[in-house]
Amino acid sequence: MAASALLLVSCGGDAEGEGDAAAEIDMEASGAGAMEDFAAGDTFVATEPVEFSLLYRDHPNYPIQDDWEFLNKLEEEHGVTLETSNAPLSDWAERRALVIGAGDAPDFIPITYPGDETQFIAGGALLPVSDYLDLMPNLTQKIEDWELEEDFASLYQEDGKFYVLPGLLEDPQHQYSFAVRGDIWDELGLEDPESFEEFADQLRQVQEAYPDMVPYSDRWSENGPLEATLNVVAPNFGTSAGWGYGDGMHYDAEADEFVYAGAMEEYRDLLAYFAGLVEEGLMDSESLTQDDDQAIQKFASGGSAVIGANDQELLTYRTSIEEVGDEDMEVRMIRVPGGPAGDMVDASRLESGMALSADVAEEEDFVALLQFLDWLYYSDEGMEFSKWGVEGETYTKSEDGSRTLAANIDMNGLNPEGEEQLNVDYGYHNGVFMLAHGSSTELVQSMLRDEVIEFRDSMDSKERLTPDPARPLDELERERASINQTQLTDQVRTATAQFILGQRDIEEWDAFVAELESSGMAEFVDLHNEAYQRAQETLDGDVVED
């Protein structure tokens, strides 16, 4: 039903709950600065100066500057001034929750992942953006052209609306895996492991050749154990973990029901694998407690041969090696191996997005705001502008469409001789203004190094998981679920570390599951399956024709 409704909007039609609010907008009251007949592909230029506010996630690697060219161009060429309320990366989630919960949210809030918004829906603080899709022609065109209807269906809440505008990817873009010491792998005649069993065997060979080195020391455990690594590994074990754990619900397609990931035998097998690495001395036990800088220092100085990575952090490792390591050390990423569940990958095409304050619907420039956001985040022109900047100034484009950064500018190591950084000094290539870099495959790859494209191509051969079906909870159900969710998640996070470190024997698994049961796991799962069945019944009984 949700997918059909999205198709109707993208075709200019209407469906119950979709576009009704947009059709009733009083342009005299809400159309200040808005363009007439704004269509997909049009450049947004406000008909009179407008100012929009946002909660800005201030990243320490590229702290916000008031004189960024990105901000100046928006004001000079598009008539848009952005007023930012800045929140540091370290305090981002807390600040976002505080301002929304207090009813002080700015006009829009980027870096909001699908699922982050659900806790605020009952209070009426967020705009049901699905009501206004026909005012966002670039977004609806991308949904249709890239066949994202099924992905969007998972965003809908029990009231038949959704409250977050996600970043979009034409194709899945895989970023995380393991970085290995390429010089050691070549010395030992090792290639990318096809399975996690083979990966463990390779670690044993490294251990034998370099007994003073811990083969594998990992990172990204500040908010939970091995959050990044468990996220990318879990699909190959048939479960969900790490950053992808969410509320713990995992869809079992064979049984056609949701189960609790932390109690699955597959989750047990995942933990048993890493526990085995620690027990054999193949993995550093400090991986679950050390901060990122410590893990990077060990890797760069030759204390370990494997570390979790993404394509940007690969450059960080190389820089660190130049500072403290051996010039003969080489680093490369390997393809994520397959596991007991197969050679799988989570292939979501929805990225971090944005939520809008419910109050914006009452503003005189509401329509202009939606047009601006639609242009900046979802049009081909806007996405290229936020990523590359201005042609002829920050980059040039050849006849074949390839882009080259200006000689004085670097980004992601594309132009290492450049003294300035595209994000640090100009404000472009900023996740806040690119919805975590969601865009067309061509644009995503336009700023990637060849080694990154090769890695992502290798990951494309893995079998893609399909998006989970929708299971929207109503307000009362969300309140009931929240009572158990936090406690269950905390228990799983604690036990995950204990099992991996050997502080708790994996043979105690049944006892651990019983502890989850005593914390209301069964009721929590039943709640979500009831919501899923209700959504399925609605879908079966509500056929919408274009």
Side-chain angles (χ1 to χ4, degrees):
M1 178 180 63
S4 300
L6 282 167
L7 277 172
L8 284 170
V9 174
S10 65
C11 295
D14 189 28
E16 184 179 356
E18 291 292 342
D20 296 340
E24 297 174 359
I25 284 179
D26 183 346
M27 289 299 291
E28 290 188 7
S30 304
M35 296 173 58
E36 291 188 18
D37 303 320
F38 179 68
D42 289 348
T43 300
F44 175 78
V45 179
T47 57
E48 60 182 85
V50 291
E51 180 177 297
F52 304 128
S53 61
L54 73 148
L55 186 63
Y56 181 85
R57 185 205 63 181
D58 202 5
H59 200 293
N61 291 346
Y62 42 96
I64 190 169
Q65 300 180 38
D66 293 337
D67 62 349
W68 269 345
E69 183 180 295
F70 171 82
L71 299 174
N72 292 335
K73 290 293 184 183
L74 288 181
E75 187 171 354
E76 295 168 3
E77 300 185 6
H78 302 276
V80 175
T81 299
L82 292 182
E83 181 68 29
T84 65
S85 297
N86 304 327
L89 175 63
S90 60
D91 193 37
W92 171 249
E94 291 77 9
R95 279 287 303 279
R96 181 181 59 193
L98 180 63
V99 298
I100 297 177
D104 296 328
D107 294 338
F108 66 105
I109 307 168
I111 315 299
T112 299
Y113 284 86
D116 290 344
E117 80 286 8
T118 55
Q119 59 183 308
F120 307 110
I121 293 173
L126 300 181
L127 185 76
V129 289
S130 56
D131 284 350
Y132 303 96
L133 293 185
D134 57 357
L135 293 175
M136 306 187 75
N138 290 290
L139 169 59
T140 53
Q141 184 181 70
K142 289 291 190 295
I143 293 172
E144 182 178 7
D145 290 350
W146 294 353
E147 299 180 351
L148 288 162
E149 294 85 3
E150 186 175 357
D151 298 77
F152 263 74
S154 64
L155 300 177
Y156 280 82
Q157 303 298 321
E158 195 272 340
D159 60 3
K161 305 176 187 293
F162 62 82
Y163 295 78
V164 63
L165 292 171
L168 310 181
L169 287 169
E170 182 178 11
D171 294 298
Q173 298 296 321
H174 315 290
Q175 300 182 44
Y176 286 83
S177 183
F178 302 95
V180 303
R181 282 277 303 279
D183 54 311
I184 293 179
W185 253 244
D186 291 342
E187 174 193 338
L188 300 178
L190 305 177
E191 298 181 353
D192 286 10
E194 295 185 3
S195 68
F196 277 98
E197 289 82 359
E198 183 180 353
F199 181 53
D201 185 61
Q202 291 182 350
L203 295 178
R204 294 185 186 100
Q205 294 181 58
V206 173
Q207 184 183 55
E208 182 177 356
Y210 294 88
D212 295 332
M213 172 190 291
V214 58
Y216 170 28
S217 186
D218 213 341
R219 55 178 298 197
W220 284 310
S221 291
E222 288 91 342
N223 299 314
L226 305 176
E227 290 278 89
T229 296
L230 292 183
N231 180 46
V232 298
V233 172
N236 301 278
F237 281 76
T239 188
S240 304
W243 285 339
Y245 191 77
D247 60 10
M249 288 292 94
H250 181 87
Y251 180 64
D252 183 339
E254 185 174 343
D256 190 26
E257 66 179 8
F258 283 89
V259 298
Y260 194 67
M264 298 173 66
E265 287 297 312
E266 290 83 354
Y267 197 90
R268 175 192 182 280
D269 294 342
L270 174 66
L271 302 189
Y273 175 80
F274 283 93
L277 297 183
V278 172
E279 184 177 10
E280 285 191 56
L282 303 176
M283 180 177 177
D284 184 5
S285 62
E286 293 183 354
S287 297
L288 283 75
T289 56
Q290 65 190 354
D291 61 36
D292 287 354
D293 289 342
Q294 291 174 305
I296 295 170
Q297 181 74 9
K298 288 179 182 178
F299 184 76
S301 62
S304 66
V306 180
I307 187 173
N310 61 37
D311 54 85
Q312 293 189 44
E313 287 302 299
L314 206 60
L315 299 178
T316 300
Y317 302 155
R318 288 170 180 159
T319 299
S320 298
I321 287 173
E322 291 176 2
E323 296 173 351
V324 300
D326 187 326
E327 62 180 11
D328 293 329
M329 295 168 62
E330 298 178 3
V331 185
R332 67 168 180 255
M333 285 178 67
I334 63 172
R335 180 181 182 275
V336 176
D343 195 14
M344 312 294 293
V345 65
D346 184 0
S348 172
R349 293 190 291 157
L350 301 186
E351 281 278 8
S352 169
M354 59 182 159
L356 277 66
S357 168
D359 294 338
V360 298
E362 307 302 322
E363 300 293 334
E364 63 180 6
D365 54 10
F366 175 50
V367 176
L369 171 64
L370 292 182
Q371 291 179 350
F372 166 69
L373 296 177
D374 184 59
W375 171 78
L376 179 65
Y377 289 109
Y378 299 110
S379 75
D380 294 339
E381 179 186 51
M383 291 189 295
E384 182 178 53
F385 165 71
S386 62
K387 190 176 184 72
W388 279 89
V390 177
E391 185 176 359
E393 296 183 17
T394 56
Y395 74 98
T396 57
K397 184 182 289 188
S398 63
E399 292 184 0
D400 65 1
S402 60
R403 305 167 187 82
T404 303
L405 286 169
N408 62 310
I409 300 175
D410 183 31
M411 192 69 234
N412 292 340
L414 290 178
N415 184 21
E417 301 303 319
E419 298 179 353
E420 296 179 306
Q421 293 290 316
L422 189 61
N423 56 356
V424 174
D425 299 294
Y426 293 83
Y428 300 113
H429 203 271
N430 182 335
V432 173
F433 302 124
M434 297 193 301
L435 294 187
H437 311 274
S439 62
S440 67
T441 300
E442 185 279 326
L443 191 58
V444 168
Q445 294 188 347
S446 67
M447 202 174 277
L448 297 180
R449 306 181 304 279
D450 289 343
E451 63 177 336
V452 178
I453 295 175
E454 292 174 3
F455 165 73
R456 295 189 180 188
D457 286 345
S458 73
M459 292 289 288
D460 279 339
S461 64
K462 296 174 77 72
E463 183 179 352
R464 299 179 182 179
L465 296 174
T466 57
D468 285 350
R471 45 181 171 85
L473 304 178
D474 61 30
E475 180 179 349
L476 180 59
E477 289 171 332
R478 281 195 296 271
E479 292 177 358
R480 289 171 55 195
S482 66
I483 296 173
N484 301 110
Q485 181 178 332
T486 300
Q487 182 175 355
L488 289 169
T489 301
D490 288 345
Q491 286 179 271
V492 171
R493 183 179 288 122
T494 299
T496 295
Q498 291 173 336
F499 282 123
I500 291 176
L501 293 174
Q503 297 169 350
R504 190 167 186 178
D505 196 301
I506 201 71
E507 297 302 321
E508 297 179 23
W509 183 257
D510 290 342
F512 165 63
V513 173
E515 293 167 10
L516 295 179
E517 291 284 4
S518 66
S519 295
M521 180 180 68
E523 295 85 352
F524 185 72
V525 172
D526 287 345
L527 197 65
H528 285 276
N529 275 315
E530 288 168 6
Y532 168 55
Q533 290 301 324
R534 185 172 62 241
Q536 290 295 104
E537 291 169 2
T538 302
L539 179 63
D540 293 340
D542 211 333
V543 179
V544 182
E545 296 182 357
D546 192 348

